[in-house]
Amino acid sequence: MAASSNSSLSGSSVSSDAEEYQPPIWKSYLYQLQQEAPRPKRIICPGEVENRPKYYGREFHGIISREQADELLGGVEGAYILRESQRQPGCYTLALRFGNQTLNYRLFYDGKHFVGEKRFESIHDLVTDGLITLYIETKASEYISKMTTNPIYEHIGYATLLREKVSRRLSRSKNESRKTSVTNEEHTTVEKVHTFRGPHWCEYCANFMWGLIAQGVRCSDCGLNVHKQCSKHVPNDCQPDLKRIKKVYCCDLTTLVKAHNTQRPMVVDICIREIEARGLKSEGLYRVSGFTEHIEDVKMAFDRDGEKADISANIYPDINIITGALKLYFRDLPIPVITYDTYPKFIEAAKISNADERLEAVHDVLMLLPPAHYETLRYLMIHLKKVTMNEKDNFMNAENLGIVFGPTLMRSPEDSTLTTLHDMRYQKLIVQILIENEDVLF
């Protein structure tokens, strides 16, 4: 089949979606472990304790021995109390049950609670973070030690590869020599310990940054977010002139909409608006791929300019560049639109043979999605339904769109090629069902 007329002008290739640029795969293993970690269980003292410090609550049991603390905890994983030392009055201890044993930590307070470097507003947060860290380091110590062996750093826009691309683009301007020299100037990375609100992934090793606070470090110039142990492997070649390069893409969906106070990510709204304005009749819409370099240009425009990004036909006449940028946004999400938690439930729903029961099961699982994920999926399905209504021009029905968007919107929490291959037909079916029944399901 020949390419559409506008494809030849802007360089889109009539290739399958699988041949497009594949973004780094954000690894879910440590995220899953954090979800499984024991939850804090405060053991309350039944009576009033004399001379209880005002910054401790009913979990304070006064002067008791280690043996008494162990008995109070009752072998319950995640249970904790606070006690005053018998040997050193005025010194306080956190007694915490983990791994079938009672762990005792010297506890300090200077306006915030701490047992090590991290400082917390509440004892509950301190214990929650501690249990997460203990659980992950117990379950995945070998995995963590090897995290830095296969970095994604050079593929996400901070490394020399992108700098060379930017230099080439700048060289087209009249100020070639001056701008190129600034871009290529070596820069010393300045990193600060940072607390990330919402889930974040390390941009060096692609693994989840676990814990409640101080989960990693951030470069004060380019905004690179990495584990503390990964930071020593990052080259000193970041680009201060591309400040905060990752503002939209690769950011957790819920975190992004909260930061911008919107229902959905603005990149979804803007791309869909542009596609519906001029692309619904384009042959092979979402199946045909735009040039990777142009798609990356759109990504950088959103990261740099946010809602002011210009993706109009004047700049990008090929609509396949815009559809490619939208698909890339979804693939770049650390937690997919159809979340890891709901993924197995959707797959099980897809296996139900009775159509009415299957539809009911899909609806039930949709209700489990976080609000931002649900709203984004709802808006996208309304749009894809419009795409199918122009099938006689674009040759894209719900089944074809399911093939394209199945692996884009949902990924198995298991990092297994066999699982991925086995689930592909169910991924396609779920998206097909969502499109065909969007008016009933949402």
Side-chain angles (χ1 to χ4, degrees):
M1 183 181 292
S4 57
S5 57
N6 67 338
S7 297
S8 60
L9 292 173
S10 300
S12 69
S13 57
V14 188
S15 61
S16 68
D17 195 62
E19 292 172 358
E20 288 185 357
Y21 161 74
Q22 295 297 314
I25 296 175
W26 302 104
K27 300 166 187 173
S28 63
Y29 177 54
L30 298 180
Y31 173 76
Q32 292 295 111
L33 287 183
Q34 175 157 313
Q35 299 297 97
E36 297 169 6
R39 299 292 186 261
K41 299 174 182 67
R42 185 172 70 143
I43 306 300
I44 295 174
C45 184
E48 227 11 88
V49 178
E50 216 176 311
N51 299 321
R52 182 182 72 193
K54 61 181 180 181
Y55 40 82
Y56 294 146
R58 296 286 300 279
E59 69 275 7
F60 183 73
H61 288 250
I63 300 177
I64 60 173
S65 67
R66 288 192 173 206
E67 292 72 24
Q68 288 173 305
D70 191 46
E71 188 177 338
L72 286 168
L73 294 174
V76 178
E77 198 78 348
Y80 73 94
I81 65 166
L82 307 183
R83 64 182 181 85
E84 187 172 357
S85 172
Q86 284 184 321
R87 297 175 183 174
Q88 295 177 287
C91 294
Y92 303 101
T93 298
L94 165 67
L96 172 66
R97 193 74 185 172
F98 178 81
N100 297 318
Q101 60 181 319
T102 299
L103 307 175
N104 291 275
Y105 298 93
R106 180 79 176 273
L107 189 61
F108 301 92
Y109 182 79
D110 63 357
K112 291 188 177 182
H113 304 278
F114 62 100
V115 297
E117 291 181 359
K118 292 185 178 183
R119 282 164 164 72
F120 298 84
E121 296 289 346
S122 69
I123 292 292
H124 180 85
D125 286 351
L126 184 153
V127 176
T128 301
D129 186 85
L131 287 169
I132 289 169
T133 301
L134 286 167
Y135 188 78
I136 287 178
E137 291 182 353
T138 299
K139 292 281 187 178
S141 58
E142 185 177 354
Y143 182 91
I144 291 170
S145 69
K146 297 177 179 177
M147 285 195 310
T148 60
T149 56
N150 188 25
I152 62 161
Y153 176 75
E154 292 192 354
H155 303 290
I156 60 171
Y158 296 90
T160 307
L161 179 63
L162 176 61
R163 188 173 63 207
E164 289 171 352
K165 287 183 180 179
V166 173
S167 297
R168 286 200 301 273
R169 290 172 193 147
L170 290 174
S171 69
R172 297 168 192 160
S173 71
K174 293 180 181 178
N175 300 319
E176 175 182 352
S177 60
R178 181 176 65 83
K179 290 187 178 180
T180 303
S181 64
V182 171
T183 307
N184 286 315
E185 184 179 348
E186 185 174 333
H187 175 76
T188 301
T189 302
V190 179
E191 294 160 340
K192 295 180 180 178
V193 174
H194 190 78
T195 293
F196 300 96
R197 303 300 177 191
H200 273 72
W201 270 251
C202 175
E203 291 157 346
Y204 183 82
C205 72
N207 281 287
F208 179 65
M209 301 171 77
W210 65 89
L212 292 190
I213 68 166
Q215 302 96 329
V217 298
R218 167 174 283 177
C219 175
S220 59
D221 284 314
C222 70
L224 180 73
N225 303 320
V226 294
H227 292 112
K228 192 172 182 180
Q229 60 264 48
C230 291
S231 63
K232 60 179 177 288
H233 298 282
V234 177
N236 289 328
D237 63 352
C238 71
Q239 300 171 72
D241 56 318
L242 294 178
K243 266 186 177 289
R244 302 297 182 268
I245 191 169
K246 190 187 71 62
K247 288 195 296 188
V248 176
Y249 280 70
C250 303
C251 181
D252 174 65
L253 196 156
T254 298
T255 302
L256 185 68
V257 299
K258 285 184 176 179
H260 290 270
N261 194 27
T262 56
Q263 285 186 299
R264 299 173 297 274
M266 46 80 172
V267 64
V268 175
D269 282 6
I270 294 171
C271 285
I272 287 179
R273 192 159 57 238
E274 191 69 24
I275 293 162
E276 292 186 353
R278 60 184 174 98
L280 286 178
K281 296 182 184 297
S282 178
E283 185 175 324
L285 190 67
Y286 285 112
R287 178 179 58 79
V288 176
S289 305
F291 272 154
T292 297
E293 186 175 346
H294 296 163
I295 291 171
E296 288 181 345
D297 284 343
V298 174
K299 172 183 175 178
M300 286 183 63
F302 277 116
D303 284 330
R304 184 182 62 244
D305 304 325
E307 61 186 15
K308 295 181 181 178
D310 185 358
I311 61 169
S312 65
N314 293 333
I315 308 297
Y316 302 105
D318 179 12
I319 198 63
N320 299 306
I321 294 170
I322 310 306
T323 60
L326 181 60
K327 288 185 292 181
L328 178 61
Y329 170 75
F330 289 130
R331 287 199 303 268
D332 264 353
L333 286 172
I335 301 174
V337 175
I338 291 177
T339 60
Y340 292 124
D341 293 341
T342 59
Y343 179 90
K345 297 180 177 67
F346 273 109
I347 296 298
E348 288 305 310
K351 294 177 181 178
I352 298 173
S353 56
N354 181 280
D356 290 337
E357 292 178 6
R358 184 171 58 213
L359 194 64
E360 186 67 32
V362 169
H363 179 267
D364 290 344
V365 185
L366 278 173
M367 296 299 103
L368 302 177
L369 287 173
H373 288 249
Y374 177 90
E375 173 57 27
T376 300
L377 188 62
R378 182 192 71 83
Y379 191 73
L380 177 64
M381 292 305 117
I382 292 172
H383 163 65
L384 294 181
K385 187 69 170 283
K386 293 178 184 176
V387 173
T388 65
M389 291 167 67
N390 290 272
E391 182 188 352
K392 62 180 174 51
D393 296 304
N394 61 36
F395 301 104
M396 294 300 288
N397 57 27
E399 183 178 3
N400 293 337
L401 290 169
I403 293 170
V404 173
F405 276 95
T408 300
L409 297 176
M410 52 196 306
R411 300 192 297 272
S412 171
E414 298 178 27
D415 189 13
S416 164
T417 304
L418 282 177
T419 301
T420 301
L421 290 172
H422 178 265
D423 289 353
M424 282 183 69
R425 58 177 172 159
Y426 300 118
Q427 293 173 348
K428 181 209 76 170
L429 181 57
I430 286 296
V431 174
Q432 182 179 342
I433 290 169
L434 293 175
I435 296 171
E436 291 174 342
N437 300 279
E438 59 82 18
D439 56 334
V440 175
L441 290 171
F442 294 96

Coordinates of all heavy atoms in Angstrom, one line a residue, residues 307-356:
E307 N 2.3 23.5 28.2 CA 1.1 23.7 27.5 C 1.3 24.7 26.3 O 0.4 24.9 25.5 CB -0.1 24.2 28.4 CG 0.2 25.5 29.1 CD -0.9 25.8 30.1 OE1 -1.7 24.9 30.5 OE2 -0.9 26.9 30.6
K308 N 2.4 25.5 26.3 CA 2.6 26.4 25.3 C 3.4 25.8 24.1 O 3.7 26.5 23.1 CB 3.5 27.6 25.8 CG 2.7 28.4 26.9 CD 3.6 29.6 27.4 CE 2.8 30.4 28.4 NZ 3.6 31.5 29.0
A309 N 3.6 24.5 24.1 CA 4.3 23.8 23.1 C 3.5 23.9 21.8 O 2.3 23.8 21.8 CB 4.5 22.3 23.4
D310 N 4.2 24.3 20.7 CA 3.6 24.4 19.4 C 3.7 23.2 18.6 O 4.8 22.8 18.1 CB 4.2 25.6 18.6 CG 3.5 25.9 17.3 OD1 2.5 25.2 17.0 OD2 3.9 26.9 16.6
I311 N 2.6 22.5 18.4 CA 2.6 21.2 17.6 C 1.7 21.4 16.4 O 1.2 20.4 15.8 CB 2.2 20.0 18.4 CG1 0.8 20.1 19.0 CG2 3.2 19.8 19.5 CD1 0.2 18.8 19.6
S312 N 1.5 22.6 15.9 CA 0.6 22.9 14.8 C 1.1 22.4 13.5 O 2.3 22.0 13.4 CB 0.3 24.4 14.7 OG 1.6 25.0 14.4
A313 N 0.3 22.4 12.5 CA 0.6 21.9 11.2 C 1.8 22.7 10.6 O 2.5 22.2 9.7 CB -0.6 21.9 10.2
N314 N 1.9 24.0 11.0 CA 3.0 24.8 10.5 C 4.3 24.3 10.9 O 5.3 24.4 10.1 CB 2.8 26.2 11.0 CG 1.6 27.0 10.5 OD1 1.2 26.6 9.4 ND2 1.1 27.9 11.3
I315 N 4.4 23.7 12.0 CA 5.7 23.1 12.5 C 5.8 21.6 12.2 O 6.9 21.2 11.8 CB 5.8 23.3 14.1 CG1 5.5 24.7 14.5 CG2 7.2 22.8 14.6 CD1 6.5 25.7 13.9
Y316 N 4.7 20.9 12.4 CA 4.7 19.4 12.1 C 3.6 19.1 11.2 O 2.5 18.7 11.7 CB 4.6 18.7 13.4 CG 5.7 19.0 14.4 CD1 5.5 19.8 15.5 CD2 7.0 18.5 14.2 CE1 6.5 20.1 16.4 CE2 8.0 18.8 15.1 CZ 7.7 19.6 16.2 OH 8.7 19.9 17.1
P317 N 3.7 19.2 9.9 CA 2.6 18.9 9.0 C 2.2 17.5 8.9 O 1.1 17.2 8.6 CB 3.2 19.4 7.6 CG 4.7 19.4 7.8 CD 4.9 19.8 9.2
D318 N 3.1 16.6 9.3 CA 2.8 15.1 9.3 C 2.1 14.8 10.6 O 2.7 14.8 11.7 CB 4.0 14.3 9.1 CG 3.8 12.8 9.1 OD1 2.6 12.4 9.1 OD2 4.8 12.1 9.2
I319 N 0.8 14.4 10.5 CA 0.0 14.1 11.8 C 0.6 12.9 12.5 O 0.4 12.7 13.7 CB -1.5 13.9 11.4 CG1 -2.3 14.0 12.7 CG2 -1.7 12.6 10.7 CD1 -2.3 15.4 13.4
N320 N 1.3 12.0 11.8 CA 1.9 10.8 12.4 C 3.0 11.2 13.4 O 3.3 10.3 14.3 CB 2.4 9.9 11.3 CG 1.3 9.4 10.3 OD1 0.3 8.9 10.8 ND2 1.5 9.6 9.1
I321 N 3.6 12.3 13.3 CA 4.5 12.8 14.3 C 3.8 13.0 15.6 O 4.3 12.7 16.7 CB 5.2 14.1 13.9 CG1 6.1 13.7 12.6 CG2 6.1 14.7 15.0 CD1 6.7 15.0 11.9
I322 N 2.6 13.6 15.6 CA 1.8 13.9 16.8 C 1.3 12.6 17.4 O 1.3 12.5 18.6 CB 0.6 14.9 16.4 CG1 1.1 16.1 15.6 CG2 -0.1 15.3 17.7 CD1 2.3 16.8 16.3
T323 N 0.7 11.7 16.5 CA 0.3 10.4 17.1 C 1.4 9.7 17.7 O 1.3 9.0 18.8 CB -0.4 9.6 16.0 OG1 0.5 9.3 15.0 CG2 -1.6 10.2 15.5
G324 N 2.6 9.7 17.1 CA 3.8 9.1 17.7 C 4.2 9.7 19.0 O 4.6 9.0 19.9
A325 N 4.1 11.0 19.1 CA 4.4 11.7 20.4 C 3.5 11.3 21.5 O 3.8 11.1 22.7 CB 4.4 13.2 20.2
L326 N 2.2 11.1 21.1 CA 1.2 10.7 22.1 C 1.4 9.3 22.6 O 1.4 9.0 23.8 CB -0.2 10.8 21.6 CG -1.4 10.5 22.5 CD1 -1.4 11.4 23.7 CD2 -2.7 10.6 21.8
K327 N 1.7 8.4 21.7 CA 2.0 7.0 22.0 C 3.3 6.9 22.9 O 3.4 6.1 23.8 CB 2.2 6.1 20.8 CG 0.8 5.8 20.0 CD 1.0 4.9 18.9 CE 1.8 5.5 17.8 NZ 2.0 4.6 16.6
L328 N 4.3 7.7 22.5 CA 5.5 7.7 23.3 C 5.3 8.2 24.7 O 5.8 7.7 25.7 CB 6.5 8.7 22.6 CG 7.9 8.8 23.3 CD1 8.6 7.5 23.5 CD2 8.8 9.8 22.6
Y329 N 4.4 9.2 24.9 CA 4.0 9.7 26.2 C 3.5 8.5 27.1 O 3.9 8.3 28.2 CB 3.0 10.8 26.2 CG 2.5 11.1 27.6 CD1 3.3 11.8 28.5 CD2 1.2 10.7 28.0 CE1 2.8 12.1 29.8 CE2 0.8 10.9 29.3 CZ 1.6 11.6 30.2 OH 1.2 11.8 31.5
F330 N 2.6 7.7 26.5 CA 2.0 6.6 27.3 C 3.0 5.5 27.5 O 3.1 5.0 28.6 CB 0.8 6.0 26.5 CG -0.4 6.9 26.5 CD1 -1.1 7.2 25.3 CD2 -0.9 7.5 27.6 CE1 -2.2 8.0 25.2 CE2 -2.0 8.3 27.6 CZ -2.7 8.6 26.4
R331 N 3.9 5.3 26.6 CA 4.9 4.2 26.8 C 5.9 4.6 27.8 O 6.6 3.8 28.5 CB 5.6 3.9 25.5 CG 4.7 3.1 24.5 CD 5.6 2.4 23.4 NE 6.4 3.3 22.7 CZ 6.0 3.9 21.6 NH1 4.8 3.6 21.0 NH2 6.8 4.7 20.9
D332 N 6.2 5.9 27.9 CA 7.2 6.5 28.8 C 6.7 6.5 30.3 O 7.5 6.8 31.2 CB 7.6 7.9 28.4 CG 8.9 7.9 27.6 OD1 9.5 6.8 27.4 OD2 9.3 9.0 27.0
L333 N 5.4 6.3 30.5 CA 4.9 6.4 31.9 C 5.6 5.3 32.8 O 5.6 4.1 32.4 CB 3.4 6.2 31.9 CG 2.6 7.4 31.4 CD1 1.1 7.0 31.3 CD2 2.7 8.6 32.3
P334 N 6.1 5.7 33.9 CA 6.7 4.7 34.8 C 5.6 3.7 35.3 O 5.9 2.5 35.4 CB 7.2 5.5 36.0 CG 7.3 6.9 35.5 CD 6.3 7.0 34.5
I335 N 4.4 4.2 35.6 CA 3.3 3.3 35.9 C 2.3 3.4 34.8 O 1.8 4.6 34.5 CB 2.6 3.7 37.2 CG1 3.6 3.6 38.4 CG2 1.4 2.8 37.5 CD1 3.0 4.0 39.7
P336 N 2.0 2.4 34.0 CA 1.1 2.5 32.8 C -0.3 3.1 33.1 O -0.7 3.1 34.3 CB 1.0 1.1 32.3 CG 2.2 0.3 32.9 CD 2.4 1.0 34.2
V337 N -1.0 3.5 32.1 CA -2.3 4.0 32.3 C -3.2 3.0 33.0 O -3.9 3.2 33.9 CB -3.0 4.5 31.0 CG1 -4.4 4.9 31.2 CG2 -2.2 5.6 30.4
I338 N -3.1 1.7 32.5 CA -3.7 0.6 33.1 C -2.6 0.1 34.1 O -1.6 -0.5 33.7 CB -4.1 -0.5 32.1 CG1 -5.3 0.0 31.4 CG2 -4.5 -1.8 32.9 CD1 -5.9 -0.9 30.3
T339 N -2.8 0.3 35.4 CA -1.7 0.2 36.4 C -1.3 -1.2 36.6 O -2.0 -2.2 36.2 CB -2.2 0.8 37.7 OG1 -3.3 0.0 38.1 CG2 -2.6 2.3 37.6
Y340 N -0.1 -1.4 37.2 CA 0.4 -2.8 37.5 C -0.6 -3.5 38.4 O -0.8 -4.7 38.3 CB 1.7 -2.7 38.1 CG 2.8 -2.2 37.2 CD1 3.6 -1.1 37.6 CD2 3.1 -2.9 36.0 CE1 4.6 -0.6 36.7 CE2 4.1 -2.4 35.2 CZ 4.9 -1.3 35.5 OH 5.9 -0.9 34.7
D341 N -1.2 -2.8 39.3 CA -2.1 -3.4 40.3 C -3.3 -4.0 39.6 O -3.8 -5.1 40.0 CB -2.6 -2.4 41.3 CG -1.4 -1.9 42.2 OD1 -0.4 -2.7 42.3 OD2 -1.6 -0.9 42.9
T342 N -3.9 -3.3 38.6 CA -5.1 -3.7 37.9 C -4.8 -4.7 36.7 O -5.7 -5.3 36.2 CB -5.9 -2.5 37.4 OG1 -5.1 -1.7 36.5 CG2 -6.4 -1.7 38.6
Y343 N -3.6 -4.7 36.3 CA -3.2 -5.5 35.0 C -3.7 -6.9 35.1 O -4.5 -7.4 34.2 CB -1.7 -5.4 34.8 CG -1.3 -6.2 33.6 CD1 -1.2 -5.6 32.3 CD2 -0.9 -7.5 33.7 CE1 -0.8 -6.3 31.2 CE2 -0.5 -8.3 32.6 CZ -0.5 -7.6 31.3 OH -0.1 -8.4 30.2
P344 N -3.4 -7.7 36.1 CA -3.8 -9.1 36.2 C -5.3 -9.2 36.2 O -5.9 -10.2 35.6 CB -3.2 -9.7 37.4 CG -2.8 -8.5 38.3 CD -2.6 -7.4 37.3
K345 N -6.0 -8.3 36.8 CA -7.5 -8.3 36.8 C -8.1 -8.1 35.4 O -9.1 -8.7 35.1 CB -8.0 -7.3 37.8 CG -7.6 -7.6 39.3 CD -8.2 -6.5 40.2 CE -7.8 -6.8 41.7 NZ -6.4 -6.7 41.9
F346 N -7.5 -7.2 34.7 CA -8.0 -6.9 33.3 C -7.7 -8.2 32.4 O -8.6 -8.6 31.6 CB -7.3 -5.7 32.7 CG -7.9 -4.4 33.0 CD1 -7.3 -3.5 33.8 CD2 -9.1 -4.1 32.4 CE1 -8.0 -2.3 34.1 CE2 -9.8 -2.9 32.7 CZ -9.2 -2.0 33.5
I347 N -6.6 -8.8 32.6 CA -6.2 -10.0 31.8 C -7.2 -11.1 32.1 O -7.7 -11.8 31.2 CB -4.8 -10.5 32.1 CG1 -3.8 -9.4 31.6 CG2 -4.5 -11.8 31.4 CD1 -3.8 -9.1 30.1
E348 N -7.5 -11.3 33.4 CA -8.5 -12.3 33.8 C -9.9 -12.0 33.2 O -10.6 -12.9 32.8 CB -8.6 -12.4 35.3 CG -7.4 -13.1 35.9 CD -7.1 -14.5 35.3 OE1 -8.0 -15.3 35.3 OE2 -5.9 -14.7 34.9
A349 N -10.3 -10.7 33.2 CA -11.6 -10.3 32.6 C -11.6 -10.6 31.2 O -12.7 -11.1 30.6 CB -11.8 -8.8 32.9
A350 N -10.5 -10.4 30.5 CA -10.5 -10.7 29.0 C -10.6 -12.2 28.7 O -11.1 -12.5 27.6 CB -9.1 -10.2 28.4
K351 N -10.3 -13.0 29.6 CA -10.4 -14.5 29.4 C -11.8 -15.0 29.6 O -12.1 -16.2 29.2 CB -9.5 -15.2 30.3 CG -8.0 -14.9 30.1 CD -7.1 -15.6 31.1 CE -5.6 -15.3 30.9 NZ -4.7 -16.0 31.9
I352 N -12.8 -14.2 30.1 CA -14.1 -14.7 30.3 C -14.8 -14.8 28.9 O -14.8 -13.9 28.1 CB -14.9 -13.7 31.2 CG1 -14.3 -13.6 32.5 CG2 -16.4 -14.1 31.3 CD1 -14.8 -12.5 33.4
S353 N -15.4 -16.0 28.7 CA -16.0 -16.3 27.4 C -17.3 -15.6 27.1 O -17.6 -15.1 26.0 CB -16.1 -17.8 27.2 OG -16.9 -18.3 28.2
N354 N -18.1 -15.5 28.1 CA -19.4 -14.8 28.0 C -19.3 -13.3 27.8 O -18.7 -12.7 28.7 CB -20.3 -15.1 29.2 CG -21.7 -14.5 29.1 OD1 -21.9 -13.4 29.3 ND2 -22.7 -15.4 28.7
A355 N -19.8 -12.7 26.7 CA -19.5 -11.3 26.4 C -20.1 -10.4 27.5 O -19.4 -9.4 27.9 CB -20.1 -11.0 25.1
D356 N -21.3 -10.6 28.0 CA -21.9 -9.8 29.0 C -21.2 -9.8 30.3 O -20.9 -8.8 30.9 CB -23.4 -10.2 29.2 CG -24.2 -9.8 28.0 OD1 -23.8 -8.9 27.2 OD2 -25.3 -10.5 27.8

